[in-house]
Amino acid sequence: LTDLAPGVYTVSGAAVTVGPDTYTVPAPLNVTVTASLTPAAGSALYGIATGRLTISATGLPPGGAPAFQVTGPAGYSGTASSGSTITGLTPGLYTVGAPTVTSGSSTWAPTPPAQQVTVAASLTPTQASVTYALASGSLSVVITGLPQVVQATVTVSGPNGFNAVLAGSGSLVNLVPGTYTLNAASVNSGVHIYGPTPVTQAVAVPPSTTPAQASIAYALTSGLISLTVNGLPPATNAAITVTGPNGYLQVVTESTVLAGLLAGTYQVTASGVSSGAVSFAGTPPTQSVPVTPSTVAVNATVTYAPSSTSLIVTIAGLPGGVSGAVNVSGPGGYAAALTATQILNNVAPGNYTV
């Protein structure tokens, strides 16, 4: 520069972009120019003014490609993939957020999930590293012993309020590692009951791609009694009480099948009944019926027979107004004195003397 008036001159440089990077002169330079044929010297020294950030991730499953969220100075916000480099960054403090990664039926969690890194003005990238590790497990439940059309009822509960109901064998995937509790309920199939073993179990689910295992075996736990009632007149109800395990109580008035019975011994008690003037007693009056888990009923029979009857004693041939004097005796010391024709009710069967 020639023909300059003597004085102080300021030398400053405008920002220059080269590819993804920006270069600047750090500060203006003041140069004093005097009246002279010898030039005054002034220099503008450029330096790199932006930085770079490379994010690398390890431990990811094949195909895992997290999108890292990066925020920083001057409202910067962007995303980056593992191994990529962000360029042209204003120097300063940046926050790198790492998401969880789901691949197939499993989840990988990052460490750290968030970190802060300082990006300096340099062509050498600042490094941010994230390590991923498997953070989920799975549970395989095998249910056996039920008829093909019968569904189980197995409730699975676990960490973070997890709850699921299984109707058959299956797998629960992408589970938070921890202890899971399985509760299996008895189920009905028609008149039959199937019970599980075990009823309750706790299963530890670790972070792994190999499922934890649990098994539940159902088995028939109920039986039946086919109770036949004989010997009563039509429309006359029996009076039979059946009692058994766990406070079981059932009143039976006619032939029937008692289903859904727990295994054990049942007592069948037959009480007497009346039909008109005739009393009936059941035989046997009591009986024990063993019930085992089975789809085939155990047979029991109660046979009723008259336990009393009636006897008509007709007294005739006497003059009017004259009372008879008739004595009746019979089984069990029975005795009656009659003065006129009479029906004797509820007398025991047998031979009577009149």
Side-chain angles (χ1 to χ4, degrees), residues 38 63 75 87 191 217 286 307 333 337:
T38 301
T87 60
V191 297
T286 61
S307 59

Side-chain angles (χ1 to χ4, degrees), residues 285-308:
T286 61
Q287 56 183 305
S288 296
V289 181
V291 174
T292 58
S294 176
T295 58
V296 179
V298 179
N299 293 318
T301 301
V302 174
T303 300
Y304 276 88
S307 59
S308 69

Side-chain angles (χ1 to χ4, degrees), residues 123-301:
L123 295 175
T124 301
T126 298
Q127 301 292 324
S129 299
V130 179
T131 301
Y132 277 86
L134 185 63
S136 66
S138 58
L139 174 62
S140 175
V141 182
V142 177
I143 300 173
T144 59
L146 289 174
Q148 187 173 4
V149 296
V150 178
Q151 293 186 337
T153 303
V154 178
T155 301
V156 183
S157 57
N160 297 344
F162 178 86
N163 188 272
V165 178
L166 296 177
S169 297
S171 294
L172 300 172
V173 299
N174 212 7
L175 300 177
V176 174
T179 299
Y180 288 75
T181 301
L182 286 72
N183 290 296
S186 296
V187 294
N188 293 339
S189 175
V191 297
H192 307 296
I193 300 174
Y194 290 80
T197 300
V199 174
T200 301
Q201 59 182 304
V203 180
V205 175
S208 174
T209 55
T210 301
Q213 301 292 323
S215 60
I216 298 170
Y218 276 87
L220 184 66
T221 58
S222 66
L224 309 93
I225 296 176
S226 178
L227 182 57
T228 302
V229 180
N230 297 319
L232 289 175
T236 300
N237 290 334
I240 300 172
T241 301
V242 181
T243 58
N246 289 358
Y248 180 86
L249 173 64
Q250 182 68 46
V251 175
V252 176
T253 60
E254 60 185 355
S255 295
T256 189
V257 174
L258 302 174
L261 303 179
L262 296 177
T265 300
Y266 288 76
Q267 299 297 322
V268 179
T269 302
S271 301
V273 296
S274 297
S275 178
V278 181
S279 297
F280 292 82
T283 301
T286 61
Q287 56 183 305
S288 296
V289 181
V291 174
T292 58
S294 176
T295 58
V296 179
V298 179
N299 293 318
T301 301

